[in-house]
Amino acid sequence: MFDLDEENRLIRDTTRSFAEDVVMPRAAAIDEEDAFPFEIYRQMGELGLLSMTLPAAYGGSEADTLAWTIVLEELARASAAVADAHMVNKLMCDIILSEARDAVRQKYLPGMGRGDIICAIAQTEADTGSDVAAIKTTATPVDGGYRLNGTKQFITFAGICDIAVVVATVDRSLGRKGIGLFLADAHAEGFRRGAKNKIMGVRGLATGELVFEDVFVPNDHRLAEPGAGMRRSLTSLNSGRIGMAAQSVGIAQAAYEQALAFARQRHAFGGPIANLQAIQFMLADMSVGIEAGRLMTRRAAAARDAGVDVVRIVSEAKLFASEMAQRVVDDALQIHGAAGYSTETTVERLQRDVRVYKIWEGTSQIQRIVIARQLLAA
């Protein structure tokens, strides 16, 4: 059902070559230095990867969700940070494309597709993650627009963004009905970058705090009116969860390849440890899990492209793929033994990277709640 056609095979092969030739040699340094890879990001723009899902009118090639997941998987196989940078850009392009006026689209989307403009999503706060309705950042109506006030935490691109889609409420007492989306310029007065977050994995994304102190957002930069912001945020989560699943598969694939190569060359008990049945069973389980995760991810992508209700499907894909990837990376490190615990091995970095995929875009517990509600409502 999910055999790739010629076009998607070309996308996969092109991305794989880029990932292996450009990204992989820099992956360890990106993690160690925790510095955003601007050069690689702009190369993705030049290659058309950042603009791939945009309409032609904004410089894109109008690729579908399935093609996007193929790209994410290949990038994540090389570097989780580079893959996630690609994903955030795509999600922000989607929001601006669907919610902004054409003048705003023309102003930002071509540059985002080239990698010249970087857009963050400012949603998470110190006390709110998956509970979007509890957002405390406010957007107060004023003459000609809104004033934003609040603090966001763990924001990808916080330290480098040119613009930010800000999730804020016009009235906290309204709960989800007060939530809107606002596009803020990083050069606006009162837009401040706070502390950089020191995170365990997926380093190099300038993750940190954003502070808004009476930041003015003109009316034409309001993306979703109060009451519609919650719906739009949840819609974005559907794409984000597919992206998380695709990245998880890519990380798992990288770990499996590392484990397979190590098992063939590491000798113990008179031969390669790959000859030991215990190791063979671990490798077999890795392969099965990766194939299942890949199929679930592509099924979710195909369903989204078909326009059907994907809430349960994408949550199932994200839940399975993220937890599968954790198991695969754990087993890969176990196969490496003491060597896997060394910072000089790829699997050590993968172990730190993979852990967040059971948290991002809704924790595993949230996914189970979503899935159960969908089942019980049927």
Side-chain angles (χ1 to χ4, degrees):
M1 179 179 179
F2 292 114
D3 288 340
L4 301 182
D5 59 23
E6 184 176 354
E7 181 178 356
N8 281 327
R9 286 197 300 271
L10 177 61
I11 290 171
R12 179 198 62 195
D13 294 345
T14 300
T15 309
R16 182 173 295 175
S17 294
F18 172 76
E20 292 179 349
D21 296 343
V22 178
V23 182
M24 279 186 183
R26 282 282 299 153
I30 292 169
D31 171 70
E32 184 175 350
E33 297 165 7
D34 194 14
F36 186 75
F38 284 102
E39 183 178 354
I40 289 175
Y41 192 74
R42 294 190 179 110
Q43 284 180 277
M44 286 198 291
E46 293 170 2
L47 199 58
L49 295 178
L50 294 179
S51 61
M52 62 181 295
T53 60
L54 283 173
Y58 304 105
S61 52
E62 303 183 8
D64 60 16
T65 309
L66 177 58
W68 175 59
T69 63
I70 293 167
V71 168
L72 277 185
E73 180 184 333
E74 295 297 331
L75 292 175
R77 175 173 164 261
S79 166
V82 171
D84 198 60
H86 185 282
M87 189 189 87
V88 173
N89 178 74
K90 191 267 187 188
L91 298 182
M92 296 306 95
C93 284
D94 283 354
I95 289 177
I96 293 173
L97 181 65
S98 67
E99 305 296 330
R101 302 179 186 183
D102 190 59
V104 175
R105 296 176 192 164
Q106 293 288 354
K107 182 178 181 179
Y108 296 116
L109 289 179
M112 290 172 67
R114 293 190 302 269
D116 297 333
I117 297 174
I118 295 177
C119 181
I121 172 67
Q123 175 170 305
T124 303
E125 298 179 359
D127 298 322
T128 60
S130 298
D131 186 7
V132 180
I135 289 292
K136 294 180 180 177
T137 298
T138 58
T140 304
V142 296
D143 187 28
Y146 296 82
R147 293 280 180 187
L148 299 178
N149 283 279
T151 300
K152 301 292 186 176
Q153 286 273 15
F154 299 110
I155 305 304
T156 301
F157 298 159
I160 58 171
C161 64
D162 301 291
I163 51 177
V165 174
V166 184
V167 184
T169 179
V170 297
D171 187 341
R172 292 178 187 171
S173 68
L174 295 176
R176 64 178 57 207
K177 294 182 179 179
I179 301 291
L181 299 182
F182 307 86
L183 186 60
D185 190 322
H187 298 98
E189 184 177 355
F191 188 111
R192 185 164 61 83
R193 306 179 200 276
K196 182 177 181 179
N197 294 134
K198 296 179 180 179
I199 55 179
M200 181 172 75
V202 196
R203 292 156 51 85
L205 292 177
T207 303
E209 182 182 69
L210 287 177
V211 181
F212 306 98
E213 299 172 338
D214 279 335
V215 175
F216 179 70
V217 176
N219 279 324
D220 64 353
H221 280 54
R222 186 193 71 193
L223 299 179
E225 64 184 10
M230 182 74 175
R231 171 194 55 77
R232 191 60 189 84
S233 293
L234 294 176
T235 300
S236 180
L237 281 175
N238 286 331
S239 291
R241 286 167 181 169
I242 295 173
M244 288 290 105
Q247 289 187 56
S248 297
V249 172
I251 292 172
Q253 182 68 36
Y256 164 74
E257 291 171 3
Q258 292 288 318
L260 183 62
F262 187 86
R264 284 171 168 163
Q265 61 93 15
R266 174 75 165 92
H267 281 64
F269 307 106
I273 63 172
N275 292 342
L276 303 175
Q277 191 176 67
I279 302 299
Q280 292 174 356
F281 282 4
M282 293 169 77
L283 292 169
D285 286 343
M286 288 180 187
S287 179
V288 171
I290 291 167
E291 287 301 318
R294 182 175 289 121
L295 287 170
M296 290 183 73
T297 301
R298 292 182 179 176
R299 172 176 175 259
R304 185 159 181 79
D305 288 333
V308 301
D309 183 2
V310 296
V311 174
R312 178 174 63 85
I313 297 172
V314 300
S315 284
E316 288 176 344
K318 195 270 184 182
L319 173 65
F320 180 87
S322 62
E323 297 200 341
M324 172 276 296
Q326 180 75 71
R327 291 192 300 272
V328 168
V329 175
D330 282 345
D331 283 348
L333 195 150
Q334 191 73 14
I335 288 172
H336 278 72
Y341 210 63
S342 168
T343 58
E344 296 180 359
T345 60
T346 299
V347 292
E348 184 272 341
R349 169 168 52 85
L350 296 177
Q351 181 69 268
R352 288 185 289 105
D353 286 346
V354 76
R355 186 59 185 84
V356 77
Y357 286 83
K358 296 198 293 183
I359 298 173
W360 269 347
E361 301 291 328
T363 65
S364 290
Q365 290 71 30
I366 289 292
Q367 303 311 318
R368 288 181 167 90
I369 290 172
V370 171
I371 294 165
R373 285 176 176 172
Q374 293 291 308
L375 293 174
L376 294 169

